[in-house]
Amino acid sequence: MLYEPPLFRPPSEASSLILQVTLGCSHNACAFCGMYKGKKFRVRSQAEIMADIEIASRFDQGVKRIFLADGNALTMETQSLLNLLKHLYNYFPELERVSCYAGPRDLLYKELDELSELRMAGLKLLYLGVESGSDVILKKMHKGVNANEMIQACRRALDAGFELSVTVITGLGGKEYSREHAQATARVINAINPTYLAALTLIVVPGTPLFKEVQEGKFTLLTPQESLQELKWLIEGLEIDNCLFRCNHASNYLPLRGYLKRDKDKLIYVLDKALNEPGSIPLRPDYIRGL
Ligand code: SF4
């Protein structure tokens, strides 16, 4: 099975079989993202996908999870996705879960019935980048939707029965919008109440429009302490329940993990300690942070 690089998957899909059903990202416009910049988006043909499934199934050693790469597999026609899911569960008898990245527009374009059908057919978990709840920041970053559309899209996924894992990016508003970013993002996440929430920390990728803005002095990055302060504002504003919160990505200065709302006070306590007693909790140095 030959992959067409670059290939990305969420950290929690490390032991999944990765199947490329699309190449690149159908949106490919976010100002901070360099993931698929040089890759022209297309949905792979049925023949290409089936050839990969055939090869992978020959070496099947009890595949339980499959992640559909690249970006936005949900862009595919619903019927093609339903056929694909059927094949996957036939070829891999021990398969328990299929997951993929989803863009907010993909969710808004599909009818709720279509989404429910996909869920029933075994597509169980969707990963979606909310990034920010601020309309100003979403627009500046060319996310392609506003905060209300983001909420609507995510609620549709949850209403259709999917588990939903969303990411937000601390520092995405720079110094200028730090407080607004935290507060607006908390409001949007509260309205969504996702299954999983991950907070990444902004890393500016060379070659992206945001990198250019930083170089030109139009966007001021947060210091590690300011980034922790913003994270604290975000967590303080969260009122969600039954949500696993993770902030243990390689981009983060301070690894945190807990269930919201049960562990909210504990998370704030750790952040307070890191903020008020610098050095008491070691932060991940910039040179080993990564995406
Ligand atoms: S952040 Fe996601 S949606 Fe935006 S360009 Fe990158 S891969 Fe595409």
Side-chain angles (χ1 to χ4, degrees):
M1 201 161 146
L2 281 179
Y3 290 114
E4 200 165 305
L7 185 69
F8 297 94
R9 51 134 185 94
S12 49
E13 299 288 342
S15 52
S16 306
L17 170 67
I18 311 294
L19 180 68
Q20 268 179 318
V21 299
T22 62
L23 297 176
C25 163
S26 58
H27 181 57
N28 214 11
C30 298
F32 56 87
C33 174
M35 284 167 78
Y36 302 110
K37 279 289 179 257
K39 207 170 183 183
K40 192 165 181 293
F41 179 78
R42 77 174 170 95
V43 176
R44 293 181 79 216
S45 69
Q46 175 95 350
E48 287 173 297
I49 298 170
M50 285 311 295
D52 276 356
I53 294 175
E54 295 268 359
I55 295 170
S57 68
R58 269 186 244 148
F59 302 97
D60 180 20
Q61 293 185 327
V63 169
K64 289 195 165 43
R65 291 181 172 188
I66 293 181
F67 177 75
L68 305 179
D70 284 338
N72 323 48
L74 217 57
T75 314
M76 285 172 74
E77 293 289 329
T78 302
Q79 195 51 55
S80 311
L81 261 176
L82 287 170
N83 294 342
L84 169 65
L85 289 163
K86 201 169 162 199
H87 286 309
L88 291 177
Y89 281 93
N90 282 340
Y91 273 83
F92 302 96
E94 292 182 47
L95 184 59
E96 292 170 357
R97 178 180 101 182
V98 180
S99 58
C100 69
Y101 289 127
R105 286 258 162 247
D106 308 326
L107 286 161
L108 293 172
Y109 283 144
K110 290 205 193 293
E111 297 293 332
L112 186 59
D113 283 357
E114 292 178 83
L115 293 171
S116 302
E117 228 183 319
L118 289 168
R119 170 63 191 83
M120 295 300 289
L123 180 62
K124 296 186 178 173
L125 169 63
L126 302 178
Y127 297 90
L128 183 142
V130 166
E131 331 300 10
S132 174
S134 154
D135 279 338
V136 178
I137 297 168
L138 287 171
K139 195 167 176 204
K140 276 168 106 48
M141 295 297 151
H142 305 290
K143 192 66 199 171
V145 288
N146 62 29
N148 275 337
E149 290 167 322
M150 188 67 88
I151 293 169
Q152 239 183 299
C154 292
R155 286 303 323 166
R156 278 168 80 85
L158 289 162
D159 289 346
F162 290 103
E163 287 194 303
L164 182 66
S165 178
V166 305
T167 48
V168 297
I169 305 177
T170 60
L172 195 61
K175 229 175 247 221
E176 194 180 354
Y177 293 103
S178 182
R179 191 147 207 159
E180 170 175 341
H181 176 44
Q183 291 173 341
T185 303
R187 271 198 303 277
V188 165
I189 296 298
N190 289 341
I192 297 171
N193 205 350
T195 324
Y196 305 100
L197 169 65
L200 315 181
T201 302
L202 180 67
I203 289 186
V204 182
V205 179
T208 58
L210 185 59
F211 184 81
K212 191 162 171 264
E213 280 205 36
V214 173
Q215 299 250 299
E216 291 170 353
K218 294 178 185 160
F219 184 100
T220 312
L221 295 169
L222 300 187
T223 64
Q225 291 295 107
E226 287 167 338
S227 178
L228 296 183
Q229 177 60 66
E230 188 180 286
L231 186 59
K232 188 184 159 205
W233 288 329
L234 169 69
I235 294 174
E236 279 173 342
L238 291 175
E239 296 299 339
I240 46 180
D241 209 359
N242 292 323
C243 175
L244 175 58
F245 171 75
R246 279 178 283 216
C247 180
N248 50 9
H249 184 259
S251 65
N252 296 122
Y253 290 109
L254 178 63
L256 294 170
R257 187 183 190 278
Y259 278 91
L260 292 170
K261 56 185 171 204
R262 190 192 73 188
D263 299 326
K264 179 171 168 173
D265 290 345
K266 278 188 212 159
L267 295 167
I268 292 174
Y269 172 82
V270 176
L271 282 163
D272 268 335
K273 196 164 168 59
L275 283 164
N276 299 331
E277 300 166 39
S280 61
I281 306 178
L283 302 185
R284 182 179 277 130
D286 268 312
Y287 67 90
I288 56 166
R289 288 173 63 230
L291 283 172

